[in-house]
């Protein structure tokens, strides 16, 4: 049914990112991450706040590990509700903007991050 296809799409989006998670040196600059967030409708304030939250080691770039930890923290019990809401709203705004984050909307953000990791990925 539809539930199975949604689960498969979610697995494909997150799975593609996780499959590459062992490769060192993959990171997206804060500037490129801001551009990626802007494509999902983030304003300058949101871009700054989300970049700061994802860049946990404050090195000016978002590694795949930092990105995945940030996404995982959105759903974690006791999560930072402002951060969680901001990320979920961004995912939803990039899709149907109906208050529900679908598997496709979740996958769209993870896929965009994977693209941004590639040389010239946001060009």
């Amino acid at each position: 049914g539809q539930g199975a296809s949604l689960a498969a799409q979610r697995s494909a989006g997150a799975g593609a990112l996780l499959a590459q998670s062992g490769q060192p040196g993959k990171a997206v600059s804060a500037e490129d991450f801001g551009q990626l967030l802007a494509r999902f409708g983030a304003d300058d304030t949101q871009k700054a706040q989300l970049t700061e939250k994802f860049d946990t080691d404050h090195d000016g770039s978002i590694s795949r590990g930092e990105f995945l930890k940030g996404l995982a923290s959105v759903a974690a019990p006791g999560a930072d509700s402002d951060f969680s809401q901001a990320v979920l709203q961004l995912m939803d705004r990039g899709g149907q903007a109906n208050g529900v984050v679908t598997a496709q909307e979740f996958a769209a953000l993870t896929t965009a991050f994977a693209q941004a990791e590639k040389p010239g990925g946001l060009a």
Side-chain angles (χ1 to χ4, degrees):
Q2 187 176 4
S5 66
L6 291 177
Q9 289 170 350
R10 181 179 302 130
S11 296
L17 201 59
L18 289 169
Q20 302 168 6
S21 64
Q23 298 176 7
K26 295 280 188 185
V28 175
S29 72
E31 181 181 343
D32 284 349
F33 191 67
Q35 290 177 17
L36 182 156
L37 296 175
R39 289 183 182 184
F40 282 81
D43 62 27
D44 289 343
T45 301
Q46 291 169 319
K47 289 190 299 189
Q49 289 171 342
L50 290 173
T51 299
E52 181 181 339
K53 288 282 190 179
F54 275 102
D55 185 12
T56 56
D57 65 3
H58 308 291
D59 68 351
S61 64
I62 315 304
S63 69
R64 182 179 293 126
E66 287 173 319
F67 182 72
L68 292 172
K69 285 177 189 169
L71 288 181
S73 75
V74 167
D80 176 340
S81 61
D82 289 341
F83 175 66
S84 296
Q85 285 300 308
V87 172
L88 293 171
Q89 287 172 1
L90 198 67
M91 287 179 181
D92 188 38
R93 222 180 292 143
Q96 298 173 15
N98 62 357
V100 177
V101 175
T102 66
Q104 293 94 330
E105 289 167 339
F106 180 86
L109 185 63
T110 59
T111 301
F113 184 84
Q115 271 305 121
E117 288 182 305
K118 298 176 182 176
L122 288 177

